[in-house]
Amino acid sequence: MHKLGKVLVAALAVAVFGGTAYGYTTLESLEGVTREDVIEAPDPGEQPADGSLDILLVGRDARTDNQDRPLPPEILRELRAGANGDDLTDTLIVLRIPNGQQAVKAFSIPRDSWVAQPGTKDKSKINEIFGRTKFASANEQRAAGKTDKAEINKQAITAARKATLKAVEELSGVKIDHFAEVNLLSFYEISKAVGGVEVCLNKATKDRDSGADFPAGRQTIQGADALAFVRQRKNLPRSDLDRVRRQQVFLAGLAQKVLSGGTLANPARVSDLIDAVKRSVVLDGSWDLLDFVRQMRGVSGGGIAFETIPVVNPDYRYDPRHPTWTAVQVDPVQVRAFAASLIGAQPATPQAPAGPKVDVVNASGKDGLAARVSDLLAEKGYGKGDTKAEAGRRTSVVRYSDASGPAAEIAKLLGGLDVQKADSVAAGQVEVVLGQVYKGPGVSAGGGAPAQGEQPITPDSAGCID
């Protein structure tokens, strides 16, 4: 059963952003939060090179606290979670804060996004990279003669955190400045500490796996009910993508609840919030929270907007040997352009073309497809050729004249298209013809458009959802 999604990040987000609005002195006790050397410490006073302070918030599917101690059975029963959790990172949200501004742009990466594993040619779902790296690191340490189980586990988790961060950087093109990780318990406690959050559902819903059982309309939820709300994916029209939407709505409502003043004006609730963070949050070792809060003073709940990265295909069949296995196909070129657009930046300028010139023919009937694919290939180092449309055809093909190697590489890049030799293609060039069933990179518009055509979620705009 899939576990908690995006709202696990609420513990850190609420504490930090709440402090900016009501005085950073209440956050001094947060210096007791667990630290991990995941990111190299920057030079003092250094401004982020990309024009934005970027924070990776990770929600880990773990039945442990931040010291890797198992949660008591009574707590697991209250959470409606089984005793065994996977080493998965089911929540990945990047906060982008432009230099000198109090606007916060947040984007979610779906847990099943199909990405390259850092340092290898292999691919996997992004939420599996943590567990794969942890397992490999532990084996390497044992092979090197280490026997201390606690130390092996500690180093393996550090390696897993670093690999997850690297995967996010490679997909998004964003250089991560700070890292925060939370777990199941933190969300449960945070949602209770603020007295619950109001949500609104278009219709009643029920799901035995997550424990969700909610009527239609507006309602305030907390604790185990809030956990069930953000975990539910069954009986939702788009499964995990709708779950991401739910989690963003809940997190926006949580920010609004805290930053409106009712929570942080209550000393007892502030104390509960900070205690929950200290029990469950892990931060990178270089993050000076008090300095960060001074910089961010003035942020309000309405200044936080949540979006999701562009998705090419939410039902991507990535392994022909297992046709029922699915992932979320994403295009790094689109994702990088999207992430850059959130702070008004431009993605890195591609180097001079190293590959042949590629003409792209749009025979799919989808507006703008040829231009998007041409831009994608240019980002990969191929020369830009002509783009045009022609009468519809069902299938796609990559044609070449005298060199099949580049054509085969392009065909693989675009999702495994057929390759044909054709005398009609000019010497030294390649032609890509995109048919009606094409579902590869470029099929959806990237840039700054919200995924699936959705509008950004903000505390002021969240309405009823499925």
Side-chain angles (χ1 to χ4, degrees), residues 3 11 111 120 133 187 199 211 262 311 340 432 443:
K3 310 299 186 241
R111 65 190 295 278
T120 75
T133 305
F187 167 71
V199 298
V311 169
V432 175
V443 73

Side-chain angles (χ1 to χ4, degrees), residues 206-223:
K206 192 171 185 177
D207 169 41
R208 179 178 297 178
D209 285 351
S210 65
D213 186 1
F214 302 106
R218 295 196 174 276
Q219 53 208 287
T220 298
I221 55 177
Q222 62 178 291

Side-chain angles (χ1 to χ4, degrees), residues 85-237:
D86 298 320
D87 279 317
L88 302 173
T89 50
D90 283 350
T91 299
L92 293 168
I93 295 181
V94 176
L95 298 179
R96 308 216 70 187
I97 308 167
N99 291 340
Q101 298 185 29
Q102 279 77 44
V104 180
K105 305 291 186 180
F107 66 83
S108 301
I109 300 174
R111 65 190 295 278
D112 289 341
S113 296
W114 191 246
V115 302
Q117 297 183 43
T120 75
K121 294 183 179 180
D122 298 329
K123 286 195 168 187
S124 71
K125 296 177 182 179
I126 197 167
N127 73 332
E128 296 176 350
I129 289 174
F130 188 101
R132 290 171 183 262
T133 305
K134 180 184 173 185
F135 180 78
S137 174
N139 283 343
E140 289 172 3
Q141 293 180 69
R142 285 190 285 265
K146 291 186 177 181
T147 57
D148 188 322
K149 292 183 179 180
E151 184 61 24
I152 289 173
N153 187 62
K154 180 179 179 180
Q155 292 192 24
I157 290 177
T158 298
R161 287 170 175 151
K162 289 182 176 180
T164 298
L165 185 149
K166 185 66 174 176
V168 170
E169 289 185 331
E170 292 181 354
L171 173 64
S172 66
V174 172
K175 177 66 174 70
I176 299 299
D177 302 298
H178 292 299
F179 171 95
E181 177 188 292
V182 293
N183 61 22
L184 290 167
L185 183 62
S186 62
F187 167 71
Y188 172 85
E189 293 186 339
I190 287 290
S191 65
K192 292 186 70 173
V194 301
V197 172
E198 183 182 89
V199 298
C200 182
L201 291 176
N202 288 320
K203 58 183 179 181
T205 184
K206 192 171 185 177
D207 169 41
R208 179 178 297 178
D209 285 351
S210 65
D213 186 1
F214 302 106
R218 295 196 174 276
Q219 53 208 287
T220 298
I221 55 177
Q222 62 178 291
D225 286 339
L227 195 60
F229 179 84
V230 299
R231 289 174 65 192
Q232 182 182 3
R233 69 186 183 97
K234 292 185 177 180
N235 300 323
L236 299 179

